[in-house]
Amino acid sequence: MTLLDGKTAVVTGGSSGIGRGIARGFAEHGASAVVVADVREDPKESGPPTHELLADETDAAATFVQCDVTNTDDLEAAADAAAEFGGLDIWVNNAGIWHAEDFLDVTEAEYQQLMDVNTKGAYFGSQVAAARLRDRGGGSIINISSIAGLFGNGNWPTYATSKGGLTLLTYSLAHELGELGIRVNAIHPGAIQTMIGGEPTDSEAAAAGAEQFTQMVPLGRYGQPEDVAGAAVFLASDLAGYVTGESLVVDGGWTSWR
């Protein structure tokens, strides 16, 4: 598969979950190098670190860079790592955090943490990426937002606020950076089976809740990281050469009728 033949990508939050799936998808579709930028090297899931997995299973070169997306020096270090592989072509702002909350109990520190990681991290990640992509004549920035960035949800208002900001950042940067040949798009995952919310549970209540939810999804199942990865591969490839400022929803059809 050569949709991304010769491309070098940076995936923030690439050690686990959706980021791990995207990094793997890029490598499987011909990317020459993938930089896994994350605060932790070991995945939350079982298995080897993502960069080792890619080196073992694909032809892509891969490396890990310690990266806290709230720190611009770390973001620059991730971009520098891409330069060592010939230069940046694709930047994915995937790093994010989530937790359920009661709006009346949210503290300033909790609010700020979500905004710093989910919105500020993508803002300055895009700034770092755009400077490198400009010098290379263009490229692709992909923001991993959420269906919560398209409509409000009282169960996690801070998260929805952070992802709503990311959605509008995507549209704004598509307008700003288009003349530089830089495409900026957002993916909005629905319920994807990852460990972003902590350890999975095998309780009967959890199983009943999962069954009830999947009955509301037209495709009848939870999404997997590879489902989001497929969308990211498309947006990063030349197949999407005239696609920018778009929101691609990957949710099994749930939001189409909610």
Side-chain angles (χ1 to χ4, degrees), residues 7 14 25 37 92 144 168 177 192 197 211 213 230 240:
K7 304 291 188 182
V92 182
I144 306 303
L168 290 185
L177 302 175
I192 308 297
E211 182 178 1
F213 175 78

Side-chain angles (χ1 to χ4, degrees), residues 105-168:
D105 294 332
V106 174
T107 67
E108 286 190 44
E110 290 169 337
Y111 173 90
Q112 195 62 55
Q113 182 189 34
L114 270 166
M115 297 300 293
D116 282 349
V117 175
N118 294 355
T119 312
K120 175 187 171 183
Y123 187 101
F124 287 101
S126 297
Q127 186 182 76
V128 167
R132 308 298 179 103
L133 295 174
R134 173 193 59 196
D135 295 341
R136 287 176 60 78
S140 175
I141 296 173
I142 301 170
N143 294 324
I144 306 303
S145 184
S146 166
I147 56 173
L150 298 175
F151 59 86
N153 191 315
N155 293 318
W156 41 82
T158 311
Y159 180 77
T161 299
S162 70
K163 292 299 188 177
L166 183 54
T167 300
L168 290 185

